[in-house]
Coordinates of all heavy atoms in Angstrom, one line a residue:
P1 N 86.0 297.7 150.6 CA 84.6 297.2 150.6 C 84.7 295.7 151.0 O 83.7 295.3 151.7 CB 84.1 297.4 149.2 CG 85.0 298.4 148.5 CD 86.3 298.4 149.3
D2 N 85.6 295.0 150.6 CA 85.7 293.5 151.0 C 85.9 293.3 152.5 O 85.2 292.5 153.1 CB 86.8 292.8 150.2 CG 86.5 292.7 148.7 OD1 85.3 292.7 148.3 OD2 87.4 292.5 148.0
A3 N 86.8 294.1 153.0 CA 87.0 294.0 154.5 C 85.8 294.5 155.3 O 85.5 293.9 156.3 CB 88.1 294.9 154.9
L4 N 85.0 295.5 154.7 CA 83.8 295.9 155.4 C 82.8 294.8 155.4 O 82.1 294.5 156.5 CB 83.3 297.1 154.8 CG 81.9 297.7 155.3 CD1 82.1 298.1 156.7 CD2 81.4 298.8 154.4
L5 N 82.6 294.1 154.3 CA 81.6 293.1 154.2 C 82.0 291.9 155.1 O 81.2 291.2 155.8 CB 81.4 292.6 152.8 CG 80.8 293.6 151.8 CD1 80.8 293.1 150.4 CD2 79.4 293.9 152.3
A6 N 83.3 291.5 155.1 CA 83.8 290.5 156.0 C 83.6 290.8 157.5 O 83.1 289.9 158.2 CB 85.2 290.1 155.7
G7 N 83.8 292.1 157.8 CA 83.6 292.5 159.2 C 82.1 292.4 159.6 O 81.8 292.0 160.7
M8 N 81.3 292.9 158.7 CA 79.8 292.8 159.0 C 79.3 291.4 159.0 O 78.5 291.1 159.9 CB 79.1 293.6 157.9 CG 79.4 295.1 158.0 SD 78.3 296.2 157.1 CE 76.8 295.9 157.9
A9 N 79.9 290.5 158.2 CA 79.5 289.1 158.3 C 80.0 288.5 159.5 O 79.2 287.7 160.2 CB 80.0 288.3 157.1
G10 N 81.1 288.9 160.0 CA 81.6 288.4 161.3 C 80.7 288.8 162.5 O 80.5 288.1 163.4
G11 N 80.3 290.1 162.4 CA 79.4 290.6 163.5 C 78.1 289.9 163.5 O 77.5 289.6 164.5
L12 N 77.6 289.6 162.2 CA 76.3 288.9 162.1 C 76.4 287.5 162.7 O 75.6 287.1 163.5 CB 75.9 288.8 160.6 CG 74.6 288.0 160.4 CD1 73.4 288.7 161.0 CD2 74.5 287.8 158.9
V13 N 77.5 286.8 162.4 CA 77.7 285.4 162.9 C 77.8 285.5 164.5 O 77.3 284.7 165.2 CB 78.9 284.8 162.3 CG1 79.3 283.5 163.0 CG2 78.7 284.5 160.8
W14 N 78.5 286.5 165.0 CA 78.7 286.7 166.4 C 77.4 286.8 167.1 O 77.1 286.2 168.1 CB 79.6 287.9 166.7 CG 80.0 288.1 168.1 CD1 79.2 288.5 169.2 CD2 81.3 288.0 168.6 NE1 80.0 288.7 170.3 CE2 81.2 288.3 170.0 CE3 82.5 287.6 168.1 CZ2 82.4 288.3 170.8 CZ3 83.6 287.6 168.9 CH2 83.5 287.9 170.3
N15 N 76.5 287.7 166.6 CA 75.2 288.0 167.2 C 74.3 286.7 167.1 O 73.5 286.5 168.0 CB 74.6 289.2 166.6 CG 75.2 290.4 167.2 OD1 75.2 290.6 168.4 ND2 75.7 291.3 166.4
L16 N 74.4 286.1 166.0 CA 73.6 284.8 165.8 C 74.0 283.8 166.9 O 73.2 283.1 167.5 CB 73.7 284.2 164.5 CG 73.1 285.0 163.3 CD1 73.4 284.4 162.0 CD2 71.5 285.0 163.5
G17 N 75.3 283.7 167.2 CA 75.7 282.9 168.2 C 75.2 283.3 169.7 O 74.8 282.4 170.5
N18 N 75.2 284.5 169.9 CA 74.6 285.1 171.2 C 73.1 284.7 171.2 O 72.6 284.3 172.3 CB 74.8 286.6 171.3 CG 76.2 287.0 171.6 OD1 77.0 286.2 172.2 ND2 76.6 288.2 171.2
I19 N 72.4 284.8 170.2 CA 71.0 284.5 170.2 C 70.8 283.0 170.4 O 70.0 282.6 171.3 CB 70.3 284.9 168.9 CG1 70.2 286.4 168.8 CG2 68.9 284.3 168.7 CD1 69.8 287.0 167.4
C20 N 71.6 282.2 169.8 CA 71.5 280.7 170.0 C 71.8 280.4 171.4 O 71.3 279.4 172.0 CB 72.4 280.1 169.1 SG 71.9 280.1 167.3
S21 N 72.8 281.1 172.1 CA 73.1 280.8 173.5 C 71.9 281.1 174.4 O 71.7 280.4 175.4 CB 74.4 281.5 174.0 OG 74.1 282.9 174.1
I22 N 71.2 282.2 174.1 CA 70.0 282.5 174.9 C 68.9 281.5 174.7 O 68.3 281.0 175.7 CB 69.5 283.9 174.5 CG1 70.5 285.0 175.0 CG2 68.1 284.2 175.1 CD1 70.3 286.4 174.4
V23 N 68.7 281.0 173.5 CA 67.7 280.0 173.2 C 68.1 278.7 173.9 O 67.2 278.0 174.4 CB 67.5 279.9 171.7 CG1 66.7 278.7 171.3 CG2 66.9 281.1 171.1
A24 N 69.4 278.3 173.8 CA 69.8 277.1 174.4 C 69.6 277.0 176.0 O 69.4 275.9 176.5 CB 71.2 276.8 174.1
Q25 N 69.6 278.2 176.6 CA 69.4 278.2 178.0 C 68.0 278.3 178.4 O 67.6 278.3 179.6 CB 70.2 279.3 178.7 CG 71.7 279.1 178.5 CD 72.5 280.2 179.0 OE1 72.2 280.8 180.2 NE2 73.5 280.7 178.3
S26 N 67.1 278.5 177.5 CA 65.6 278.6 177.7 C 64.9 277.3 177.4 O 65.4 276.5 176.7 CB 65.0 279.7 176.8 OG 65.7 280.9 177.0
P27 N 63.7 277.1 178.1 CA 63.0 275.9 177.8 C 62.6 275.9 176.3 O 62.4 277.0 175.7 CB 61.7 276.0 178.6 CG 62.1 277.0 179.7 CD 63.1 277.9 179.2
P28 N 62.6 274.8 175.6 CA 62.6 273.5 176.1 C 64.0 272.9 176.3 O 64.2 271.7 176.7 CB 61.8 272.7 175.1 CG 62.1 273.4 173.8 CD 62.2 274.8 174.2
F29 N 65.0 273.6 175.8 CA 66.4 273.1 175.9 C 67.0 273.1 177.3 O 67.5 272.1 177.7 CB 67.3 273.8 174.9 CG 66.7 273.8 173.5 CD1 66.2 274.9 172.9 CD2 66.7 272.6 172.8 CE1 65.7 274.9 171.7 CE2 66.2 272.6 171.4 CZ 65.7 273.8 170.9
S30 N 66.9 274.2 177.9 CA 67.4 274.4 179.3 C 68.8 273.8 179.6 O 69.0 273.1 180.5 CB 66.4 273.8 180.3 OG 65.1 274.4 180.2
L31 N 69.7 274.2 178.7 CA 71.1 273.8 178.9 C 71.6 274.5 180.1 O 71.4 275.6 180.4 CB 71.9 274.2 177.6 CG 73.3 273.7 177.6 CD1 73.4 272.2 177.5 CD2 74.0 274.4 176.3
A32 N 72.3 273.7 181.0 CA 72.9 274.2 182.2 C 73.9 275.3 181.9 O 74.6 275.3 181.0 CB 73.6 273.1 183.0
Y33 N 73.8 276.4 182.8 CA 74.7 277.6 182.6 C 76.1 277.2 182.7 O 77.0 277.8 181.9 CB 74.3 278.6 183.6 CG 75.1 279.9 183.4 CD1 74.7 280.7 182.3 CD2 76.1 280.3 184.2 CE1 75.4 281.9 182.1 CE2 76.8 281.5 184.0 CZ 76.4 282.3 182.9 OH 77.1 283.4 182.7
G34 N 76.5 276.2 183.5 CA 77.9 275.8 183.6 C 78.4 275.2 182.3 O 79.6 275.1 182.1
V35 N 77.5 274.7 181.5 CA 77.9 274.2 180.2 C 77.7 275.3 179.1 O 78.6 275.4 178.2 CB 77.1 272.9 179.8 CG1 77.4 272.5 178.4 CG2 77.4 271.8 180.8
A36 N 76.7 276.0 179.2 CA 76.4 277.0 178.1 C 77.4 278.1 178.1 O 77.8 278.6 177.0 CB 74.9 277.6 178.4
Y37 N 77.8 278.6 179.2 CA 78.8 279.7 179.3 C 80.2 279.4 178.6 O 80.6 280.1 177.8 CB 79.0 280.2 180.7 CG 79.9 281.4 180.7 CD1 79.4 282.7 180.4 CD2 81.2 281.3 181.1 CE1 80.3 283.8 180.4 CE2 82.1 282.4 181.1 CZ 81.5 283.7 180.8 OH 82.4 284.8 180.8
P38 N 80.7 278.2 178.9 CA 82.0 277.9 178.2 C 81.8 277.7 176.7 O 82.6 278.1 175.9 CB 82.4 276.6 178.8 CG 81.8 276.6 180.2 CD 80.5 277.3 180.0
I39 N 80.6 277.2 176.3 CA 80.4 277.1 174.8 C 80.3 278.5 174.3 O 80.7 278.7 173.1 CB 79.1 276.2 174.6 CG1 79.4 274.8 175.0 CG2 78.7 276.3 173.2 CD1 78.2 273.9 175.0
L40 N 79.6 279.4 175.0 CA 79.5 280.8 174.5 C 80.9 281.4 174.2 O 81.2 282.2 173.3 CB 78.8 281.6 175.5 CG 78.6 283.1 175.1 CD1 77.9 283.3 173.8 CD2 77.9 283.8 176.3
Q41 N 81.9 281.0 175.1 CA 83.2 281.5 174.9 C 83.9 280.9 173.6 O 85.0 281.4 173.3 CB 84.1 281.1 176.1 CG 83.6 281.8 177.4 CD 83.5 283.3 177.2 OE1 84.4 284.0 176.9 NE2 82.3 283.9 177.5
C42 N 83.3 280.0 173.0 CA 83.8 279.6 171.7 C 83.7 280.7 170.7 O 84.4 280.6 169.6 CB 83.0 278.4 171.2 SG 83.3 276.9 172.1
A43 N 83.1 281.8 171.0 CA 83.1 282.9 170.0 C 84.6 283.4 169.8 O 84.9 283.8 168.7 CB 82.3 284.1 170.6
L44 N 85.4 283.3 170.8 CA 86.8 283.6 170.7 C 87.5 282.7 169.7 O 88.3 283.2 168.9 CB 87.5 283.5 172.0 CG 87.1 284.4 173.1 CD1 87.7 284.2 174.4 CD2 87.2 285.9 172.7
F45 N 87.1 281.5 169.6 CA 87.6 280.5 168.6 C 87.3 281.0 167.3 O 88.1 281.0 166.4 CB 87.1 279.1 168.9 CG 87.4 278.2 167.8 CD1 88.7 277.7 167.6 CD2 86.4 277.7 166.9 CE1 89.0 276.8 166.6 CE2 86.7 276.9 165.9 CZ 88.0 276.4 165.7
F46 N 86.0 281.3 167.1 CA 85.6 281.7 165.7 C 86.1 283.1 165.3 O 86.4 283.3 164.1 CB 84.0 281.7 165.6 CG 83.5 280.3 165.6 CD1 83.0 279.8 166.7 CD2 83.6 279.5 164.4 CE1 82.5 278.4 166.7 CE2 83.2 278.2 164.5 CZ 82.6 277.6 165.6
G47 N 86.3 283.9 166.3 CA 87.0 285.2 166.0 C 88.4 285.0 165.6 O 88.9 285.7 164.6
G48 N 89.1 284.0 166.1 CA 90.4 283.7 165.8 C 90.5 283.1 164.4 O 91.4 283.4 163.6
L49 N 89.5 282.3 164.0 CA 89.4 281.8 162.7 C 89.3 282.9 161.7 O 89.9 282.9 160.6 CB 88.2 280.8 162.5 CG 88.4 279.4 163.2 CD1 87.1 278.6 163.0 CD2 89.6 278.7 162.6
W50 N 88.4 283.9 162.0 CA 88.3 285.1 161.1 C 89.6 285.8 161.0 O 90.0 286.2 159.9 CB 87.2 286.0 161.6 CG 85.8 285.7 161.2 CD1 84.9 284.8 162.0 CD2 85.1 285.9 160.0 NE1 83.8 284.7 161.3 CE2 83.9 285.4 160.1 CE3 85.5 286.7 158.9 CZ2 82.9 285.5 159.1 CZ3 84.5 286.8 157.9 CH2 83.3 286.2 158.0
G51 N 90.3 285.9 162.1 CA 91.6 286.6 162.1 C 92.7 285.9 161.3 O 93.5 286.5 160.6
I52 N 92.6 284.5 161.3 CA 93.6 283.8 160.5 C 93.2 283.8 159.0 O 94.1 284.1 158.2 CB 93.7 282.3 161.0 CG1 94.3 282.4 162.5 CG2 94.5 281.5 160.1 CD1 94.3 281.0 163.1
Y53 N 92.1 283.4 158.7 CA 91.7 283.1 157.3 C 91.1 284.2 156.5 O 91.3 284.3 155.3 CB 90.8 281.9 157.3 CG 91.4 280.6 157.8 CD1 91.0 280.0 159.0 CD2 92.5 280.1 157.1 CE1 91.7 278.9 159.5 CE2 93.2 278.9 157.6 CZ 92.7 278.4 158.7 OH 93.3 277.3 159.2
V54 N 90.4 285.2 157.2 CA 89.8 286.2 156.4 C 90.6 287.5 156.4 O 90.9 288.0 155.4 CB 88.3 286.5 157.0 CG1 87.7 287.7 156.3 CG2 87.5 285.3 156.9
F55 N 91.0 287.9 157.7 CA 91.7 289.2 157.8 C 93.3 289.1 157.8 O 94.0 290.0 157.6 CB 91.3 289.9 159.1 CG 89.9 290.3 159.1 CD1 89.0 289.7 160.0 CD2 89.4 291.2 158.2 CE1 87.7 290.1 160.0 CE2 88.0 291.5 158.2 CZ 87.1 291.0 159.1
K56 N 93.7 287.7 157.8 CA 95.2 287.5 157.8 C 95.9 288.3 158.9 O 97.1 288.7 158.7 CB 95.7 287.8 156.4 CG 95.0 287.2 155.3 CD 95.4 285.8 155.0 CE 94.8 285.4 153.6 NZ 93.9 284.4 153.7
E57 N 95.3 288.4 160.1 CA 95.9 289.1 161.2 C 96.9 288.2 162.0 O 97.8 288.7 162.5 CB 94.9 289.6 162.1 CG 93.9 290.6 161.5 CD 92.7 290.8 162.5 OE1 92.3 289.9 163.2 OE2 92.2 291.9 162.5
I58 N 96.7 287.0 161.9 CA 97.5 286.1 162.7 C 98.4 285.2 161.8 O 97.7 284.6 160.9 CB 96.6 285.1 163.7 CG1 95.7 286.0 164.5 CG2 97.5 284.2 164.5 CD1 94.7 285.2 165.3
R59 N 99.6 285.2 162.0 CA 100.5 284.4 161.0 C 101.6 283.8 161.8 O 101.9 284.1 163.0 CB 101.1 285.4 160.1 CG 100.1 286.0 159.2 CD 100.8 286.9 158.1 NE 99.7 287.4 157.3 CZ 99.9 288.5 156.5 NH1 101.0 289.1 156.5 NH2 98.8 288.9 155.8
G60 N 102.3 282.9 161.2 CA 103.5 282.3 161.7 C 103.2 281.3 162.8 O 102.2 280.6 162.8
R61 N 104.1 281.4 163.8 CA 103.9 280.4 165.0 C 102.7 280.7 165.8 O 102.2 279.8 166.4 CB 105.2 280.6 165.9 CG 106.4 280.0 165.1 CD 107.6 280.1 166.0 NE 107.5 279.1 167.1 CZ 108.3 279.0 168.1 NH1 109.4 279.9 168.2 NH2 108.2 278.1 169.0
A62 N 102.2 281.9 165.7 CA 101.0 282.2 166.5 C 99.8 281.4 166.0 O 98.9 281.0 166.9 CB 100.6 283.7 166.4
V63 N 99.8 281.0 164.8 CA 98.7 280.1 164.3 C 98.8 278.7 165.0 O 97.7 278.2 165.4 CB 98.8 280.0 162.7 CG1 97.8 278.9 162.3 CG2 98.6 281.3 162.1
N64 N 100.0 278.2 165.2 CA 100.1 277.0 165.9 C 99.6 277.1 167.4 O 99.0 276.2 167.9 CB 101.6 276.5 165.9 CG 102.0 276.2 164.5 OD1 101.2 275.8 163.6 ND2 103.3 276.3 164.3
V65 N 99.9 278.2 168.0 CA 99.5 278.4 169.4 C 98.0 278.5 169.3 O 97.3 277.9 170.3 CB 100.1 279.7 169.9 CG1 99.5 280.1 171.3 CG2 101.6 279.6 170.0
F66 N 97.4 279.2 168.4 CA 95.9 279.2 168.3 C 95.3 277.8 168.2 O 94.4 277.5 168.9 CB 95.5 280.0 167.0 CG 94.0 280.0 166.7 CD1 93.2 280.8 167.4 CD2 93.5 279.1 165.8 CE1 91.8 280.7 167.2 CE2 92.2 279.0 165.6 CZ 91.3 279.8 166.2
W67 N 95.9 277.0 167.4 CA 95.3 275.6 167.2 C 95.5 274.8 168.5 O 94.6 273.9 168.8 CB 95.9 274.9 166.0 CG 95.3 275.5 164.8 CD1 95.9 276.2 163.8 CD2 93.9 275.4 164.4 NE1 95.0 276.6 162.9 CE2 93.8 276.1 163.2 CE3 92.8 274.8 164.9 CZ2 92.5 276.2 162.6 CZ3 91.5 274.9 164.3 CH2 91.5 275.6 163.1
V68 N 96.6 274.9 169.3 CA 96.7 274.3 170.5 C 95.7 274.7 171.5 O 95.0 273.9 172.1 CB 98.1 274.6 171.2 CG1 98.2 274.0 172.6 CG2 99.2 273.8 170.3
G69 N 95.4 276.0 171.5 CA 94.3 276.5 172.4 C 92.9 276.0 171.9 O 92.0 275.7 172.7
A70 N 92.7 275.9 170.5 CA 91.5 275.3 170.1 C 91.2 273.9 170.5 O 90.1 273.4 170.8 CB 91.4 275.4 168.5
I71 N 92.3 273.1 170.5 CA 92.2 271.7 170.9 C 91.9 271.6 172.4 O 91.0 270.8 172.8 CB 93.5 271.0 170.6 CG1 93.7 270.8 169.1 CG2 93.6 269.6 171.3 CD1 95.1 270.3 168.7
L72 N 92.5 272.5 173.2 CA 92.1 272.5 174.6 C 90.7 272.9 174.8 O 90.0 272.4 175.7 CB 93.1 273.4 175.4 CG 94.5 273.0 175.5 CD1 95.4 274.1 176.1 CD2 94.6 271.7 176.3
L73 N 90.3 273.9 174.1 CA 88.8 274.4 174.1 C 87.9 273.2 173.8 O 86.9 273.0 174.6 CB 88.6 275.5 173.2 CG 87.2 276.0 173.1 CD1 86.9 276.8 174.3 CD2 87.1 277.0 171.9
V74 N 88.1 272.4 172.8 CA 87.3 271.4 172.4 C 87.3 270.3 173.5 O 86.3 269.7 173.9 CB 87.7 270.7 171.0 CG1 86.9 269.5 170.8 CG2 87.4 271.8 170.0
A75 N 88.5 270.0 174.0 CA 88.6 269.0 175.1 C 87.8 269.4 176.4 O 87.1 268.6 177.0 CB 90.1 268.8 175.5
G76 N 87.9 270.7 176.7 CA 87.1 271.2 177.8 C 85.6 271.1 177.6 O 84.8 270.8 178.5
I77 N 85.1 271.4 176.4 CA 83.7 271.3 176.1 C 83.3 269.9 176.2 O 82.2 269.6 176.7 CB 83.4 271.9 174.6 CG1 83.6 273.4 174.7 CG2 82.0 271.5 174.2 CD1 83.6 274.0 173.3
I78 N 84.1 269.0 175.6 CA 83.7 267.5 175.8 C 83.6 267.1 177.2 O 82.7 266.4 177.7 CB 84.7 266.7 174.9 CG1 84.5 266.9 173.4 CG2 84.5 265.2 175.3 CD1 85.5 266.4 172.6
A79 N 84.7 267.5 178.0 CA 84.7 267.1 179.4 C 83.5 267.7 180.1 O 82.8 267.0 181.0 CB 85.9 267.6 180.1
L80 N 83.1 269.0 179.9 CA 81.9 269.5 180.5 C 80.7 268.9 180.1 O 79.8 268.7 181.0 CB 81.9 271.1 180.3 CG 82.7 272.0 181.1 CD1 82.7 273.4 180.5 CD2 82.2 271.9 182.5
S81 N 80.5 268.5 178.8 CA 79.3 267.9 178.4 C 79.2 266.5 179.0 O 78.1 266.0 179.2 CB 79.2 267.9 177.0 OG 80.3 267.3 176.4
L82 N 80.3 265.9 179.3 CA 80.2 264.5 179.8 C 80.1 264.4 181.3 O 79.4 263.6 181.9 CB 81.5 263.6 179.4 CG 81.6 263.3 178.0 CD1 83.0 262.6 177.7 CD2 80.4 262.4 177.5
Y83 N 80.8 265.4 182.0 CA 80.9 265.3 183.5 C 80.5 266.6 184.2 O 80.4 266.6 185.4 CB 82.3 265.1 183.9 CG 83.0 263.9 183.2 CD1 83.9 264.0 182.3 CD2 82.5 262.6 183.5 CE1 84.5 262.9 181.6 CE2 83.0 261.4 182.9 CZ 84.0 261.6 182.0 OH 84.5 260.5 181.3
G84 N 80.1 267.7 183.4 CA 79.8 268.9 184.1 C 78.3 269.0 184.5 O 77.7 268.0 184.6
P85 N 77.9 270.2 184.9 CA 76.5 270.4 185.4 C 75.6 269.9 184.4 O 75.6 270.2 183.2 CB 76.4 271.9 185.7 CG 77.7 272.5 185.4 CD 78.6 271.5 184.8
G86 N 74.6 269.2 184.8 CA 73.5 268.7 184.0 C 73.8 267.4 183.2 O 73.0 267.0 182.4
A87 N 75.0 267.0 183.3 CA 75.4 265.7 182.7 C 74.7 264.5 183.3 O 74.4 264.5 184.5 CB 76.9 265.5 182.7
T88 N 74.3 263.6 182.4 CA 73.6 262.4 183.0 C 74.4 261.2 183.2 O 75.5 261.1 182.6 CB 72.4 262.0 182.1 OG1 72.9 261.8 180.7 CG2 71.4 263.2 182.0

């Protein structure tokens, strides 16, 4: 039952993220698609967090690889928001 509730909570968070991405690309926010799409891909990051901390699917050195990827993801988001489409 605990795994079922954790899985359903993960699905709920995933879908809330999708709704937020749709809202962010609509007026009055109108976030550029070139920025919004990479941010939407952050769902993989949060899925990885669930895999590490909730389901304990990822262990050992793979966790370090995950965090290296997470740092690159954050660096890409910062670069896109500073220099990407729609940046001022």
Side-chain angles (χ1 to χ4, degrees):
D2 291 336
L4 175 66
L5 291 176
M8 293 192 64
L12 176 67
V13 170
W14 187 289
N15 283 305
L16 287 174
N18 286 334
I19 290 169
C20 288
S21 72
I22 292 169
V23 170
Q25 294 179 44
S26 304
F29 304 107
S30 300
L31 188 63
Y33 186 72
V35 173
Y37 184 75
I39 292 173
L40 177 61
Q41 296 306 306
C42 287
L44 297 173
F45 169 73
F46 289 102
L49 288 178
W50 278 92
I52 292 171
Y53 295 111
V54 177
F55 297 115
K56 311 278 191 243
E57 298 169 325
I58 305 171
R59 295 185 179 158
R61 294 181 70 188
V63 174
N64 294 335
V65 173
F66 171 81
W67 285 113
V68 169
I71 290 168
L72 290 172
L73 178 70
V74 170
I77 291 171
I78 292 170
L80 276 171
S81 57
L82 291 175
Y83 307 110
T88 55

